[in-house]
Amino acid sequence: MSNSRPDGSSSETVPAAPARGLSRRRLVAGAGALGVAGAAAGFFTGRATAEPGEAGEILDLSRRYEFYTGGHQAGIATLPQRYCVFMTFDVTAVTAEAVKVLLARWSAAIAQLMAGLPVGSIEPTRSGAVAADTGEALDLAPSGLTVTLGLGPGLFDERFGLADRRPRLLEDLPELPSDQLRPPLTGGDLSLQACADDPQVAYHAIRDLARMARGSANTRWVVLGFGRASAGSGQTTPRNLLGFKDGTRNLTSAGELDEHVWLGDGTDVDWMTGGTYQVVRKIRMDIEIWDADDITDQQGIFARKKISGAPLTGKSEFDTPDFSATDASGDLVIDPTSHVALAAHENNDGIKILRRSYNFTDGINDLGQLDAGLLFVSYQRTPASFIALQRRLGASDRLNEYIAHVGSGIFAVPPAPTKGHFLAEDMFA
Ligand code: HEM
């Protein structure tokens, strides 16, 4: 099985590299990894019985992505890893120089972390010395970790003298229909998205980067995401917590990414070339209410079949929906207020965004209900694309009965640096 999508393309930006060092534990598990299934006996038994050719998965924890590519940051077009920790920060430093130092230190640390290495020494060199790395990922493989940095609108206010460097389209999102945003889950001067196939590796990265920021930036809000298929062979479309395949019609080919995601030469401020804009929404789901709804109604809301993911007008997952098809009584098969009809590029002047979302849970709410939802993350070359889609969805989507947008953020994502440089360095030039 390969990583390729229906159109034969692969969104993997950097080829997997072998893990460095024998001390790094390499773990492979899943249907295609019967050779090691014995070692993982019990836990992986269910998967190890998958028939060849069945949608199984191989979790290659030795996978490692390069940081210093000088191209796009990893974690955007990279095949989604299984887990994500997304955190935003308020900058407390008062000078541009201090922001620069933070971004330089973060860049060096991210390069280490993505290589599967500690951010600094943990040797007890002298009495009273604090370890540079907190240590909880020491015996773990790189796990396909990517850390993606975003710059929020607040960074370009009057505080740091960076106002004239502001990315052209970076502004707070306007109020959107059905918004139920909670201030503590909204905004941030900086964002970090850490994704990995091991949750401890993703969490360790954010923890150590947050620790490094102390004195310059405070944590603001965080979401712990899970639920993607592994970024390995046999990746199938993952399901959201409403039980539907999520990500079927997404951007895949390099051509589509160039057209809809990456900022080309001259399209924005120079230092953003190769970058993009990130929109993040924390969307709560009323899971209990959804679970009480019948499957036919659920399918009508998405205009897709629950099991196969096929559009209601098609037979298999990747069939193109036919928005004008009618049934025997002359009614449209796909409800124009279904989620897919409202979001599809055919009905939105060709607008396309790259969705890279994760499920999340915060446990149980005050009413004793499951507190969970979707960490919606999209990348697009203009925030106007997200805004246009959410205006339509927020106003009329049948799904709105079951969801609430409670958190939100927008960030400019600069390109990756080359070796010897750091993220957004040219912003200070
Ligand atoms: C909890 C919230 C949401 C859920 C559960 C959800 C779920 C889904 C599902 C199941 C699909 C169909 C499968 C697919 O093509 O991926 C879909 C499609 C899509 N969604 Fe969402 N979505 C949510 C929020 C959003 C938001 C906030 C946006 C953008 C503002 C969005 C944009 C899209 C787009 C563009 C498509 C593809 C439509 C097409 O071309 O067929 N979704 N979503």
Side-chain angles (χ1 to χ4, degrees):
M1 288 194 168
S2 76
N3 290 339
S4 60
R5 304 289 177 84
D7 67 353
S9 69
S10 166
S11 62
E12 199 171 341
T13 47
V14 186
R20 207 192 295 164
L22 289 174
S23 62
R24 289 274 166 218
R25 190 144 58 99
R26 300 182 60 178
L27 249 184
V28 183
L34 300 179
V36 294
F43 192 69
F44 290 113
T45 305
R47 296 211 176 105
T49 57
E51 295 296 324
E54 195 177 314
E57 51 184 335
I58 297 175
L59 198 55
D60 179 4
L61 296 182
S62 71
R63 183 181 296 260
R64 194 156 47 77
Y65 293 103
E66 283 295 317
F67 172 69
Y68 291 113
T69 62
H72 315 301
Q73 279 195 66
I76 302 169
T78 312
L79 276 174
Q81 304 91 322
R82 289 186 143 201
Y83 304 95
C84 175
V85 181
F86 176 82
M87 187 178 272
T88 80
F89 298 82
D90 292 325
V91 174
T92 52
V94 290
T95 62
E97 190 56 30
V99 176
K100 199 170 168 179
V101 169
L102 174 63
L103 297 185
R105 292 187 67 208
W106 268 3
S107 299
I110 293 169
Q112 290 282 108
L113 291 163
M114 284 173 55
L117 300 168
V119 293
S121 171
I122 50 147
E123 292 295 331
T125 43
R126 61 181 168 80
S127 136
V130 175
D133 186 285
T134 51
E136 71 274 23
L138 280 181
D139 309 313
L140 303 175
S143 309
L145 174 73
T146 55
V147 181
T148 313
L149 170 89
L151 312 168
L155 204 62
F156 302 92
D157 62 19
E158 65 294 338
R159 284 176 294 167
F160 311 109
L162 295 171
D164 60 344
R165 317 288 159 86
R166 178 187 283 265
R168 283 189 199 138
L169 307 175
L170 185 64
E171 276 174 41
D172 284 326
L173 288 170
E175 200 179 318
L176 293 163
S178 304
D179 270 359
Q180 296 182 35
L181 303 184
R182 301 187 188 162
L185 300 176
T186 300
D189 296 326
L190 298 166
S191 74
L192 289 175
Q193 171 203 270
C195 300
D197 284 322
D198 182 324
Q200 182 140 324
V201 168
Y203 190 75
H204 166 258
I206 292 292
R207 176 191 176 184
D208 274 35
L209 293 168
R211 179 176 183 245
M212 198 171 276
R214 271 180 215 158
S216 306
N218 288 341
T219 56
R220 185 170 172 86
W221 56 288
V222 65
V223 181
L224 311 183
F226 64 92
R228 305 306 298 195
S230 69
S233 301
Q235 185 169 67
T236 53
T237 311
R239 290 181 188 269
N240 57 43
L241 294 179
L242 302 181
F244 278 75
K245 292 191 174 190
D246 197 334
T248 301
R249 285 229 293 175
N250 212 351
L251 300 185
T252 50
S253 69
E256 279 184 309
L257 293 170
D258 282 342
E259 192 181 341
H260 300 282
V261 176
W262 307 127
L263 294 165
D265 274 334
T267 47
D268 208 302
V269 289
D270 281 354
W271 59 270
M272 278 290 290
T273 301
T276 182
Y277 289 92
Q278 175 192 61
V279 172
V280 182
R281 308 281 280 185
K282 184 173 185 182
I283 308 176
R284 288 241 153 89
M285 293 171 171
D286 285 323
I287 288 190
E288 281 87 350
I289 301 177
W290 175 261
D291 290 347
D293 191 26
D294 70 82
I295 294 185
T296 310
D297 191 61
Q298 291 185 347
Q299 296 191 145
I301 287 169
F302 284 115
R304 286 191 173 271
K305 295 172 194 165
K306 196 161 190 177
I307 297 174
S308 65
L312 293 184
T313 53
K315 284 198 168 60
S316 56
E317 183 183 353
F318 296 104
D319 289 349
T320 303
D322 178 352
F323 296 106
S324 55
T326 49
D327 60 19
S329 19
D331 296 326
L332 286 170
V333 177
I334 295 185
D335 182 340
T337 61
S338 64
H339 183 73
V340 159
L342 288 168
H345 63 93
E346 290 92 337
N347 306 326
N348 285 292
D349 300 325
I351 289 178
K352 291 185 183 178
I353 57 176
L354 174 66
R355 290 172 290 136
R356 204 176 186 284
S357 309
Y358 285 83
N359 302 324
F360 76 83
T361 173
D362 287 340
I364 295 172
N365 68 18
D366 294 345
L367 302 172
Q369 296 158 328
L370 299 180
D371 192 348
L374 189 74
L375 169 67
F376 173 91
V377 183
S378 69
Y379 291 94
Q380 49 275 303
R381 68 188 311 189
T382 163
S385 296
F386 167 82
I387 294 168
L389 293 183
Q390 185 50 29
R391 281 219 164 99
R392 273 164 66 82
L393 291 171
S396 346
D397 191 354
R398 282 177 60 188
L399 184 60
N400 292 341
E401 197 179 333
Y402 304 93
I403 61 170
H405 288 230
V406 294
S408 179
I410 179 166
F411 302 89
V413 178
T418 49
K419 219 163 191 148
H421 296 275
F422 60 90
L423 285 160
E425 185 175 336
D426 292 343
M427 172 176 81
F428 299 95

